[in-house]
Amino acid sequence: MELEFFGAAGEVTGSCHILRMGGRQLLLDCGMIQGGRDAPERNRLPFPFAVASIDAVVLSHAHIDHCGRLPLLVKRGYRGPIYTNGACAELVPILLRDSAKLALADAERASRRLPPGASMATPLYDLADVETTLGLLRPIPYDLPRTLLPGITVRVRDAGHILGSSSVELWAGEGGATRKLVFSGDLGQYDTPILHDPWRFESADVVLMESTYGNRLHRGRADTERELGDILAQAARDGGNVIVPAFAIGRSQELLYLLAKHYAQWQVARWKIFLDSPMAIAASRIYWRNPDRFDEEASRLRAGFRGLPALPNLVLAESADDSRAINNVRGGAIVIAGSGMANGGRVLHHLRHNLPRPECHVLIVGFQAPGTLGRQLVDGAPEVRIHGRPVRNAAKVHTLGGLSAHGDQGDLLRWYDSFTPRPPVYLVHGEVASAEALAGKLRERGAVATVTRPGLKVDLSALESLARDNPST
Ligand SMILES: [Zn+2]
């Protein structure tokens, strides 16, 4: 019985871990590596395990750094089941089809740089691989244990990160001994709009935990909403546009929700709001179709919505022409567009047109990986490159950490504190500095905390048995 870390070990993206037991192998996530010049090459590397030996996959949520290499796994021969929560299974097709389109565009761009006569660069995977992958999805509901393989039982719990996001409870039994592992997946903030709080666990023998913001504290919810209102007021005075690079799933819906909630107070009527992302539009429709996953406040507000939040000044920009037309808007627009780290997508056009203008504002609402344009903006770069050309950055850039889909250090500690007694914890999904800071805090609480690196193995059968529940017995 053994656990091994492959991806998102010592970094944020590329989530992938493997559980081996009794000759069977189960993969937790199979995500894309994002950010950094070498990311495309790293994504193409052979998997550090035999694809044919994987019996099942459990997917924590629909973000591409968790599901983005599933089609590659399939392209390389995987045909087993992919278990995930039902709402996640609704979102995954949107993300993976988009990812295949981006992979094709990348390959075409790479081919143009090849010498004449050279064979064309192949995309990481194509739409056919994605469709095969989607056929392997096996939706599972929250809160019901399910035996996936002999000796392996799984139960997914709401992680409160994005719609359909899960923390995974996993019981592995071999030779009469059972060990319980809890994989946090990505954890949302507590008391955040729309979604429930992360599930409160009680016991486990070992915990795998994300550490994205292990060294940071976000502003409180009320302060964050006030800050957003203040930024919009300042931007209205300046007379320019507000550009928001936002992940299609999660942040886009939360922003629309907040604009609807504070419609009168923030004088939202004076803005024209563009949701410039077919993916975000599709994801928003899925969000609003799944109200059973909403917290009380969202359920109350939703009573006034039909479909998307009822913003009379919301424009859904579906086509590329719709998107290009926004370039002519010189002021009074809030433009929510992907990608969330501004390393591709429609938001690049909007940044190219608006960054040089001091009356414009850029609102950063999510995590920005090193090497992305979004990170350069957060770091205050006076000039950036977009589509190969230098662009002067004269706009005002705001980072609204409190809107992040990820809990901060306080949230992460609160999540871990529910485990008694303290199980050993392995930190994944964080840059090393962030994971180390969280490890320090966890050790102060008496936990044995380890910052992971690729290839690190944990012998589960050697762990002390601490878990009190076992649905398979
Ligand atoms: Zn995520």
Side-chain angles (χ1 to χ4, degrees), residues 107-162:
E108 284 170 353
R109 217 173 357 235
S111 297
R112 284 198 289 274
R113 289 197 296 266
L114 293 172
S119 56
M120 197 190 139
T122 49
L124 189 62
Y125 49 78
D126 60 22
L127 268 175
D129 300 316
V130 168
E131 296 307 322
T132 310
T133 307
L134 300 180
L136 303 176
L137 287 174
R138 299 286 176 269
I140 47 175
Y142 284 129
D143 306 331
L144 288 176
R146 178 146 169 181
T147 298
L148 306 186
L149 294 167
I152 298 185
T153 299
V154 159
R155 179 163 61 191
V156 293
R157 302 288 205 176
D158 196 338
H161 168 64
I162 59 168

Side-chain angles (χ1 to χ4, degrees), residues 186-221:
D186 285 3
L187 293 168
Q189 299 190 52
Y190 290 83
D191 307 318
T192 172
I194 309 180
L195 300 177
H196 292 290
D197 285 349
W199 178 264
R200 191 186 154 78
F201 292 94
E202 287 173 4
S203 67
D205 299 320
V206 62
V207 169
L208 258 74
M209 184 179 173
E210 70 123 315
S211 53
T212 314
Y213 286 121
N215 57 353
R216 279 263 305 272
L217 290 175
H218 299 321
R219 272 192 190 197
R221 173 56 50 186

Side-chain angles (χ1 to χ4, degrees), residues 140-448:
I140 47 175
Y142 284 129
D143 306 331
L144 288 176
R146 178 146 169 181
T147 298
L148 306 186
L149 294 167
I152 298 185
T153 299
V154 159
R155 179 163 61 191
V156 293
R157 302 288 205 176
D158 196 338
H161 168 64
I162 59 168
L163 185 75
S165 65
S166 297
S167 296
V168 181
E169 287 177 289
L170 207 150
W171 290 264
E174 191 177 38
T178 297
R179 291 293 177 272
K180 177 182 173 187
L181 177 155
V182 170
F183 170 41
S184 69
D186 285 3
L187 293 168
Q189 299 190 52
Y190 290 83
D191 307 318
T192 172
I194 309 180
L195 300 177
H196 292 290
D197 285 349
W199 178 264
R200 191 186 154 78
F201 292 94
E202 287 173 4
S203 67
D205 299 320
V206 62
V207 169
L208 258 74
M209 184 179 173
E210 70 123 315
S211 53
T212 314
Y213 286 121
N215 57 353
R216 279 263 305 272
L217 290 175
H218 299 321
R219 272 192 190 197
R221 173 56 50 186
D223 281 349
T224 298
E225 293 191 19
R226 207 172 304 126
E227 192 183 358
L228 177 57
D230 290 348
I231 291 168
L232 292 178
Q234 192 194 343
R237 282 196 298 276
D238 289 348
N241 295 323
V242 180
I243 309 298
V244 193
F247 296 95
I249 293 174
R251 292 323 81 202
S252 294
Q253 290 75 34
E254 193 171 318
L255 276 167
L256 294 178
Y257 174 88
L258 290 175
L259 292 171
K261 181 178 163 192
H262 297 284
Y263 194 79
Q265 190 194 352
W266 293 351
Q267 301 176 52
V268 176
R270 62 188 162 180
W271 295 96
K272 198 157 188 181
I273 303 157
F274 294 92
L275 184 59
D276 183 19
S277 158
M279 218 187 358
I281 294 166
S284 301
R285 291 191 174 121
I286 294 174
Y287 256 72
W288 264 257
R289 265 212 308 271
N290 282 280
D292 57 316
R293 301 316 312 164
F294 292 178
D295 60 15
E296 258 177 63
E297 184 193 58
S299 303
R300 252 196 334 270
L301 252 169
R302 190 191 176 276
F305 302 156
R306 279 190 314 278
L308 290 161
L311 289 158
N313 48 345
L314 173 65
V315 179
L316 303 179
E318 299 257 15
S319 71
D321 282 345
D322 294 341
S323 177
R324 267 192 294 274
I326 304 170
N327 291 337
N328 300 322
V329 183
R330 302 291 289 170
I334 298 172
V335 185
I336 303 168
S339 70
M341 300 189 200
N343 50 340
R346 292 181 176 182
V347 78
L348 291 182
H349 295 275
H350 305 306
L351 289 172
R352 187 155 58 88
H353 282 89
N354 289 280
L355 279 181
R357 304 172 57 217
E359 67 273 31
C360 289
H361 292 246
V362 177
L363 190 56
I364 302 285
V365 294
F367 179 78
Q368 307 295 316
T372 59
L373 175 58
R375 181 64 161 257
Q376 289 173 10
L377 294 175
V378 168
D379 292 343
E383 189 180 279
V384 295
R385 287 189 83 79
I386 299 179
H387 297 137
R389 275 181 239 142
V391 176
R392 193 169 64 91
N393 175 19
K396 294 176 193 75
V397 178
H398 312 268
T399 305
L400 213 54
L403 273 192
S404 170
H406 288 272
D408 66 4
Q409 188 187 67
D411 292 320
L412 294 169
L413 292 172
R414 178 173 167 183
W415 182 82
Y416 179 80
D417 277 346
S418 68
F419 291 96
T420 49
R422 304 273 188 244
V425 53
Y426 290 84
L427 296 175
V428 295
H429 205 284
E431 289 168 30
V432 173
S434 172
E436 289 287 2
L438 185 63
K441 288 283 176 190
L442 289 165
R443 286 176 197 132
E444 285 171 17
R445 293 166 142 71
V448 177

Side-chain angles (χ1 to χ4, degrees), residues 61 63 65-66 161 186 406:
H61 66 287
H63 275 149
D65 61 324
H66 294 257
H161 168 64
D186 285 3
H406 288 272

Side-chain angles (χ1 to χ4, degrees), residues 16 27 30-33 39-54 68-80 122-126 128-130 132-133 136:
C16 187
L27 217 54
C30 192
M32 192 88 92
I33 297 158
E41 268 165 68
R42 292 178 64 203
N43 281 320
R44 277 177 191 280
L45 289 175
F47 289 106
F49 48 80
V51 172
S53 68
I54 303 298
R69 273 196 292 175
L70 285 171
L72 184 65
L73 192 73
V74 166
K75 182 179 177 177
R76 293 178 178 169
Y78 181 72
R79 290 294 181 274
T122 49
L124 189 62
Y125 49 78
D126 60 22
D129 300 316
V130 168
T132 310
T133 307
L136 303 176

